[in-house]
Amino acid sequence: MTDILSDRLKIWKNWLAHEKKVSPHTLNAYDRDVSDFLDFLGPHLGKTPTFKDLETLRAADFRAFLASRQRDGLSATSLNRVLSSVRSFFRKQEKDGVLHNPYIKIVRSPKKPKTLPRPVSPQAAKLLLNSSRHSPGTGQRWLQDRDTAVLSLLYGCGLRINEALSLNYQDRPHGDILRILGKGNKERLVPVLPAVRKAIEIYLKECPFRFQEDGPLFFGKQGKRLNARTIQHRVQELRRRLGLPETATPHALRHSFATHLLKNGGDLRTIQELLGHASLSSTQVYTDLEIDTLLKVYERTHPKSSGT
């Protein structure tokens, strides 16, 4: 490796660490990916790559590198990270005005395989909520009431966990409607079931901290706004105790909200509005999920599915 290329790598890594403030794990991954890229260029170009060589690379060269990493067994998700790492290095060089390569920008990210949501069954959802209310583990009763209220919002209203935990006291349900500020500061109204409203009222009555209109609705043990990790840990404890699959997560309750509505005749457009999806295509995955489930039931039960 030439001295200037080595220097530019150090500058890039310092920029990631101190200006972009990426985590040590991300920094190591990016460093490893770019090192792999430079190692690939040697045999690919037939010589030790120089910093100047990076400017002459074409889209086909970048694609050849991705293809070699794919042959090494990397998944589409990992390949996307690899491309992101290399782009980051080139972006820094362009930002500093020392190198310009337009071809890295036109290389398409590898297409990730389509994954379907993993909802829990209605029985499992109810079991999680009931166990959250009655099972020990939090040490204080009000914490159980709090967790039950949060999980009720996820399953009963289809909220994202961050949407629920971002609610202030003034945002609490008034009547049958809850106003939510979702992704992209897009506001939506969701109906609140009596059971959800009751769970929140019980928590409000038992919570030991003083509420302020512009303060958090949900508190942690120390009187600060509750964080998502606490709820994730709580659900993890509950699912282990109940023997539920690893896919039973707080976000799965949101998926379950949509899936169970669809199973019971819910309109796709209405579900889109309730979930706060920007486009209908995001909501249509629940239709795909239903079809996938039906096909599995068909293959398992239909007398002709075995080819007889």
Side-chain angles (χ1 to χ4, degrees), residues 135-148:
S135 295
T138 56
Q140 300 178 52
R141 177 71 204 186
W142 78 271
L143 295 174
Q144 293 172 237
D145 295 331
R146 178 202 66 190
D147 295 348
T148 302

Side-chain angles (χ1 to χ4, degrees), residues 149 152-153 157 173-177 191-204:
S152 295
L153 280 170
C157 299
H174 294 88
D176 300 329
I177 295 295
V192 181
L193 297 171
V196 176
R197 191 166 58 250
K198 182 179 179 182
I200 294 174
E201 288 171 355
I202 292 172
Y203 157 70
L204 292 175

Side-chain angles (χ1 to χ4, degrees), residues 182-254:
K183 285 186 176 180
N185 289 326
K186 184 180 178 182
E187 190 176 84
R188 71 185 190 275
L189 300 176
V190 297
V192 181
L193 297 171
V196 176
R197 191 166 58 250
K198 182 179 179 182
I200 294 174
E201 288 171 355
I202 292 172
Y203 157 70
L204 292 175
K205 182 179 177 182
E206 298 298 327
C207 180
F209 299 108
R210 183 179 177 183
F211 292 100
Q212 296 181 352
E213 289 296 312
D214 59 351
L217 176 60
F218 295 110
F219 286 101
K221 281 184 179 181
Q222 306 303 319
K224 297 180 180 179
R225 187 180 295 274
L226 179 63
N227 64 68
R229 195 66 190 139
T230 299
I231 295 298
Q232 289 163 349
H233 274 308
R234 178 64 171 149
V235 172
Q236 189 177 49
E237 292 170 4
L238 289 171
R239 72 170 179 247
R240 285 174 179 170
R241 188 178 298 137
L242 298 170
L244 296 176
E246 293 290 313
T247 52
T249 63
H251 199 63
L253 290 174
R254 171 175 156 88

Side-chain angles (χ1 to χ4, degrees), residues 29-293:
Y30 271 39
D31 184 24
R32 185 172 59 250
D33 292 336
V34 172
S35 294
D36 289 341
F37 173 65
L38 296 175
D39 288 343
F40 163 81
L41 287 180
H44 181 70
L45 297 177
K47 63 170 186 170
T48 300
T50 65
F51 188 67
K52 190 66 178 175
D53 288 330
L54 301 183
E55 201 158 34
T56 65
L57 297 176
R58 296 294 184 263
D61 299 311
F62 295 111
R63 293 190 189 107
F65 168 63
L66 292 175
S68 74
R69 299 301 286 132
Q70 186 177 38
R71 288 193 295 272
D72 291 337
L74 266 64
S75 66
T77 300
S78 296
L79 288 172
N80 272 282
R81 190 208 65 227
V82 166
L83 182 57
S84 178
S85 303
V86 176
R87 279 177 174 160
S88 171
F89 177 71
F90 275 81
R91 192 182 305 120
K92 174 59 176 170
Q93 310 319 308
E94 184 164 5
K95 183 174 184 289
D96 291 349
V98 295
L99 183 148
H100 174 67
N101 187 316
Y103 294 100
I104 184 65
K105 298 176 183 177
I106 65 173
V107 178
R108 290 185 180 181
S109 300
K111 197 169 184 179
K112 295 181 182 179
K114 187 176 181 181
T115 56
L116 295 177
R118 301 289 293 275
V120 297
S121 68
Q123 295 78 15
K126 291 176 183 176
L127 194 58
L128 271 174
L129 289 170
N130 289 335
S131 297
S132 174
R133 182 178 292 111
H134 301 297
S135 295
T138 56
Q140 300 178 52
R141 177 71 204 186
W142 78 271
L143 295 174
Q144 293 172 237
D145 295 331
R146 178 202 66 190
D147 295 348
T148 302
V150 173
L151 297 181
S152 295
L153 280 170
L154 305 187
Y155 181 56
C157 299
L159 302 194
R160 301 176 178 93
I161 188 168
N162 288 334
E163 291 174 342
L165 301 186
S166 296
L167 291 172
N168 287 333
Y169 180 67
Q170 63 191 4
D171 303 322
R172 67 193 184 282
H174 294 88
D176 300 329
I177 295 295
L178 185 63
R179 193 180 299 273
I180 298 297
L181 194 64
K183 285 186 176 180
N185 289 326
K186 184 180 178 182
E187 190 176 84
R188 71 185 190 275
L189 300 176
V190 297
V192 181
L193 297 171
V196 176
R197 191 166 58 250
K198 182 179 179 182
I200 294 174
E201 288 171 355
I202 292 172
Y203 157 70
L204 292 175
K205 182 179 177 182
E206 298 298 327
C207 180
F209 299 108
R210 183 179 177 183
F211 292 100
Q212 296 181 352
E213 289 296 312
D214 59 351
L217 176 60
F218 295 110
F219 286 101
K221 281 184 179 181
Q222 306 303 319
K224 297 180 180 179
R225 187 180 295 274
L226 179 63
N227 64 68
R229 195 66 190 139
T230 299
I231 295 298
Q232 289 163 349
H233 274 308
R234 178 64 171 149
V235 172
Q236 189 177 49
E237 292 170 4
L238 289 171
R239 72 170 179 247
R240 285 174 179 170
R241 188 178 298 137
L242 298 170
L244 296 176
E246 293 290 313
T247 52
T249 63
H251 199 63
L253 290 174
R254 171 175 156 88
H255 291 320
S256 304
F257 164 83
T259 305
H260 301 164
L261 279 179
L262 189 62
K263 279 184 176 179
N264 287 285
D267 173 72
L268 204 58
R269 283 285 183 189
T270 302
I271 295 173
Q272 176 194 355
E273 290 297 321
L274 292 175
L275 291 174
H277 284 161
S279 67
L280 190 62
S281 62
S282 299
T283 316
Q284 283 174 330
V285 295
Y286 295 103
T287 304
D288 296 338
L289 180 66
E290 282 296 286
I291 294 171
D292 185 60
T293 302

